[in-house]
Every structure is written in C-alpha cells, then in structure tokens.
Amino acid sequence: MNDTQNSLMKTDKPVGIVGYGAYVPRFRLPASEVSKMWTGGTGGVPIQEKAVNGLDEDVVSMSIEAARNALNRAEIDPQLIRAVWVGSESHPYAVKPTSTIVAEAIGAVPHTQAADWEFACKAGTEAMQAAIGFVGSGMARYALSIGMDTAQGRPGDALEYTAAAGGAAILIGSAAEAVAIIEASYSFVTDTPDFWRRAHAQYPSHGDRFTGEPAYFKHIMGAAEALLTGLERTAADYQWAIFHQPNAKFPERAAEMLGFSKAQIQPGLLSPRIGNTYAGSAVIGLTATLDIAQPGDLILMVSYGSGAGSDAFSFRVTDHILAVRDRAPKTEEYITRRQLIDYATYTRYRDKLKMA
Amino acid sequence: MEVSRHWRLRTQRYSLVGEICPNCGVKLFPPRDVCLECEAPAKELFTFTGLGEVYSYTTIYDAPAGFERYVPYTVALVKLAEGPLVTAQLTDVAAEDVQMGMPVEMVTRKLTEDGPEGMIVYGYKFRPISLTA
C-alpha cells in the first residue's frame, strides 16, 4: 500500500453518530454449562457466559429495541431517516427483509431505503459504512445502521461457548449534530474461507485454527494499520479502541499488536460477559465505549467478518455526548440485567430439540 | 394464517398506534374510528407511550394453537398511562414475579409464527420496567 492517505474513506460532507442504542437479551448461558455437557467440565473456557435470546426474540425484535434507543438519544423525527439497514447472519427470513419490519416499527416508512446486509460478523459495520456514505454524499439526512445477531452454535462445537445474541443500532447524521464525528474509515477484504454457513444449513462450519492468523489477525491488522497510517496516528493518540471479539483472547492480542493497552480496550471488551454477538460484536463494544467516553476522546473501532474482511473507523467524541447518553438505557444496564439458564433451557430457547 | 389480517394490524401491533377523539380527547386502543365515550368520529392517530401497569393477569399453561411453544406464559390486562386497557402477553418476567399494579413498558416481540415456513407475526408485549432512561 503506497498511498493510504488518498485511499482513506472520507465523506464530502462531515458526518457522525447522532444516536446510538444497544440491546442484549437477558438470558445468560455460563460457558461452564457447555463444558459440563460436552467435556465433562474439563478444559478451559473462552469466556464466562454468553447472552441468549428468549423464545419471543429474534434479530427483528432486538433490532427494534436498539433502534428505539438510538432514536431516543437522537430525538429526531423518524420520518427523516432515509435508510434502515440491518446487518446480521441471523435474519429470521431468508427472503423478506428484516429492515422493512424494523423501519415500520420505528415509524420510518414509507419514504426510506431498507435492506439487509450480510458479511458474517462485519455485516453491522458494513451497513454503517454505507450509511456514512449515504449521509456524507448528501443523499440522506439520517441513515440507520444496525448490527444484530442471534448467533448459531453447533452443539458441542468450540463456537457453542461464545455464539451469542445482541447488538446495536447506530444512527448516522451530520457532524454538527453528532455525539461522535467520523474522521475516516478503511476496509480490508480478501477471499478467506475461515467460517461459513451454506444456504439452508442450520449451523456454521469453520476452519478451526485457520480462523486466527490468516483470517482475524491479518484483516484486523490490515484495516487498522492502514487507517492509523493514513491519519498519521498511533495507538497512543487514542483513548479507546474496540476490536471484533469472537472471544476474549483475540481482541486482547490484536490490541497488543497495535500498541493499545488493556485499559484502552476494557470498556468495549464485552465478550467475556455476553459472548460473541457476531454482527453486533464491534458495534455494541462501541456503544459501551460511547457510554463512558468524554468529549474530545478518540475512539478506534475495527470489525472483522469471516470470509473475510475488516472495517476500521476513527471517531472523535463531541460535547454533545454528555447531553445525549442518558436518554436511553446504557449498554452496561443491559449486560447487568441477566438471568442465568442451564444447558437444557438453552436447548429449548434456541430450538435445538427436534420434536419430530 | 391470514396474512392480510396481520398486515392490516401492523401499525397498532408494532408501536401501539391508536386514536384520539377530537371531540372529547379520549384515547382509544385498539383504534375503532368511533369514540367510546362520546360516539364522535375519532380517526386521528395517536401513538401511545407504551407505559402502563398490570391491572390483572393470568398464566397460561394450555395454550391456543400457535402459542404452544411459549407455555407457560402470562397474559395481562395492562392499564395504559393514557387510559385504555389492553390485553397482552408479559415477557422478560417469571409468572411468580408478576403483581397487580406492577409498572410495565411496551416492547415489540415475536407473537407467533405460521410453522417453520410461514409468516412470523410481531407485536406488542409488556415487560417490567427495569432499565433507566
């Protein structure tokens, strides 16, 4: 890469996050339950517990609540939203948009764009980047992007410990109204088959250790380094950073490789307590960080989606954050609102029992 | 499943949109186009806040068709802050923790689905108010 300065993704008009909202369902499955079921309780577990959606929850209902939280913070007329974009790998319908249901529920229809996005765990930031372009080009005053998942974990698989439910909605608008201004973003993508789910398959397949170096780390580092170089920054310039969190270890190591301290990633590192929320993972780390950030703080967020690619974003928090953040429940409130369930209840809630 | 009937009800189901009587100011849910108090035409839309309290409740163990997978679940009469009584499921709460007078808020959840290949129906339920703001 010779010319990263020119290839940073920047908008013509300055844009930012004008509202944000998280959602985490209240059920938690301790990783020890999975271990007890499949390994006799031996061996380590990658996280403490993961969030599990209830019987009446899916990506549609969860996106609606996150979107309402984002709108309550922004205090705008939903009729001014010109795009509702939901990124997920758990859309309830294979054909029939999640986004039209969400748009209807928040009162954004009918004069709006709506679409569902898919790129494994980075579908949410993909929608966000499109929303930035939509607003930054002047095509829309506001665009709503959502990353939300109810991730599928094959019984007994390594990913069953972490595949979780949750996510966040990010409302993009002009920088003048923003709680955080988007300085630039950068995307880094290759064809890397580390994880996939074929059409009609109930559970995903993955390449075990292949998901690490050539997949997660290569793309996270590729996007993050190009963005930092382009902005002529280092980790020391940032107060906070969020990396996609399939477990606790990967984001900690990515942070270390880029020179970020544990303190810088701590507010957004939620995977130990809620698991990997897939398309929601990076964006809910961002909402948790915005809940505690101070005006002037710089935030780096880098998503990762299998298949594979990363989107890196640089944000500058504004004074407006102080007026806005208490208008909706904070991410931490959703995380502490929890009810533990056992493995048997989990199999019922996640439709793992075949009745016929 | 009657797709068109569910589609027709989507606005009131997703976001508690009812009506307000332009004559006497009474708020109506579900929307009926005629005021229950003064019988004047009432077609002006009104979006309820979704806040209310449990007026009465019962727990369902033997569910009607389409709701079997959710048992046991609690159905309540919810007194909305703006006046009307609404029948709805409670969610995010165990049956033994429900009390009359308990403050609740509206959430949009999955109500039922027409089998694994059919339409999914979403609509209002109520849950205890536990989150701030």
Side-chain angles (χ1 to χ4, degrees), chain B residues 69-83:
Chain B
R69 89 184 268 261
Y70 304 102
V71 292
Y73 61 88
T74 303
V75 172
L77 282 169
V78 172
K79 179 85 172 156
L80 296 177
E82 297 88 349

Side-chain angles (χ1 to χ4, degrees), chain A residues 23 26 55-58 60-61 64-65 68 92-93 101 104-105 326-329 333-334 337 348 351, chain B residues 10-11 14-15 69-71 91-93 106-110 118-120 122 125 127 130-133:
Chain A
Y23 185 74
R26 73 185 180 123
L55 284 167
D56 63 356
E57 295 186 286
D58 62 15
V60 167
S61 70
I64 290 170
E65 182 155 344
R68 285 180 176 146
Y93 290 95
I101 310 171
E104 185 88 44
D326 292 335
R327 292 177 187 165
E333 290 184 66
Y334 280 106
R337 179 192 79 137
R348 182 180 171 207
D351 265 336
Chain B
R10 68 197 183 286
T11 311
Y14 293 172
S15 21
R69 89 184 268 261
Y70 304 102
V71 292
T91 190
D92 284 355
V93 63
M106 189 274 280
V107 289
T108 308
R109 293 288 174 92
K110 191 158 80 173
M119 179 189 174
I120 305 167
Y122 298 92
K125 293 189 181 182
R127 71 170 173 209
S130 64
L131 300 158
T132 56

Side-chain angles (χ1 to χ4, degrees), chain A residues 81-129:
Chain A
I81 296 172
R82 296 304 295 278
V84 177
W85 287 331
V86 184
S88 180
E89 54 182 87
S90 319
H91 291 293
Y93 290 95
V95 178
K96 160 83 182 85
T98 298
S99 51
T100 54
I101 310 171
V102 176
E104 185 88 44
I106 63 170
V109 294
H111 304 288
T112 185
Q113 234 283 342
D116 292 359
W117 297 71
E118 191 278 330
F119 192 143
C121 294
K122 88 169 186 77
T125 58
E126 192 180 37
M128 192 173 152
Q129 213 162 46

Side-chain angles (χ1 to χ4, degrees), chain A residues 23-104:
Chain A
Y23 185 74
V24 184
R26 73 185 180 123
F27 300 108
R28 299 286 179 278
L29 178 70
S32 59
E33 282 287 309
V34 182
S35 168
K36 192 168 75 182
M37 181 62 58
W38 298 110
T39 72
T42 61
V45 293
I47 59 168
Q48 293 152 32
E49 58 195 38
K50 69 171 183 176
V52 178
N53 49 305
L55 284 167
D56 63 356
E57 295 186 286
D58 62 15
V59 164
V60 167
S61 70
M62 293 161 58
S63 294
I64 290 170
E65 182 155 344
R68 285 180 176 146
N69 286 335
L71 282 170
N72 285 341
R73 285 206 170 90
E75 292 186 342
I76 62 152
D77 177 358
Q79 283 286 308
L80 298 173
I81 296 172
R82 296 304 295 278
V84 177
W85 287 331
V86 184
S88 180
E89 54 182 87
S90 319
H91 291 293
Y93 290 95
V95 178
K96 160 83 182 85
T98 298
S99 51
T100 54
I101 310 171
V102 176
E104 185 88 44

Side-chain angles (χ1 to χ4, degrees), chain A residues 235-258:
Chain A
D237 295 317
Y238 285 82
Q239 276 69 40
W240 315 110
I242 302 109
F243 301 98
H244 172 60
Q245 31 201 296
N247 48 41
K249 206 164 51 180
F250 277 26
E252 283 176 351
R253 196 169 139 220
E256 193 182 342
M257 288 162 76
L258 287 161

Side-chain angles (χ1 to χ4, degrees), chain A residues 79-317:
Chain A
Q79 283 286 308
L80 298 173
I81 296 172
R82 296 304 295 278
V84 177
W85 287 331
V86 184
S88 180
E89 54 182 87
S90 319
H91 291 293
Y93 290 95
V95 178
K96 160 83 182 85
T98 298
S99 51
T100 54
I101 310 171
V102 176
E104 185 88 44
I106 63 170
V109 294
H111 304 288
T112 185
Q113 234 283 342
D116 292 359
W117 297 71
E118 191 278 330
F119 192 143
C121 294
K122 88 169 186 77
T125 58
E126 192 180 37
M128 192 173 152
Q129 213 162 46
I132 291 168
F134 215 45
V135 176
S137 68
M139 285 176 72
R141 183 162 165 192
Y142 300 106
L144 181 65
S145 59
I146 298 172
M148 191 67 69
D149 248 307
T150 58
Q152 304 82 26
R154 189 189 301 276
D157 186 79
L159 297 185
E160 193 183 29
Y161 291 93
T162 52
I170 307 289
L171 183 67
I172 304 295
S174 77
E177 302 168 64
V179 302
I181 291 166
I182 293 148
E183 297 186 307
S185 64
Y186 196 92
S187 287
F188 186 93
V189 166
T190 70
D191 173 11
T192 306
D194 57 324
F195 170 101
W196 60 85
R197 181 160 61 85
R198 295 282 299 273
H200 312 298
Q202 190 178 359
Y203 296 114
S205 303
H206 57 86
D208 291 310
R209 294 178 67 90
F210 187 59
T211 58
E213 288 304 332
Y216 179 90
F217 291 103
K218 174 182 170 179
H219 296 85
I220 290 262
M221 296 300 287
E225 283 177 343
L227 183 68
L228 290 172
T229 303
L231 289 169
E232 299 180 344
R233 296 241 182 86
T234 67
D237 295 317
Y238 285 82
Q239 276 69 40
W240 315 110
I242 302 109
F243 301 98
H244 172 60
Q245 31 201 296
N247 48 41
K249 206 164 51 180
F250 277 26
E252 283 176 351
R253 196 169 139 220
E256 193 182 342
M257 288 162 76
L258 287 161
F260 287 93
S261 68
K262 286 199 166 171
Q264 282 170 295
I265 62 167
Q266 190 275 328
L269 185 58
L270 309 180
S271 56
R273 294 187 294 154
I274 62 169
N276 177 7
T277 56
Y278 284 53
S281 175
V283 284
I284 197 169
L286 176 62
T287 63
T289 304
L290 287 171
D291 282 340
I292 57 96
Q294 292 302 310
D297 284 358
L298 292 178
I299 302 174
L300 177 77
M301 174 176 79
V302 191
S303 67
Y304 172 73
S306 289
S310 283
D311 301 323
F313 301 81
S314 181
F315 307 99
R316 181 187 292 277
V317 180

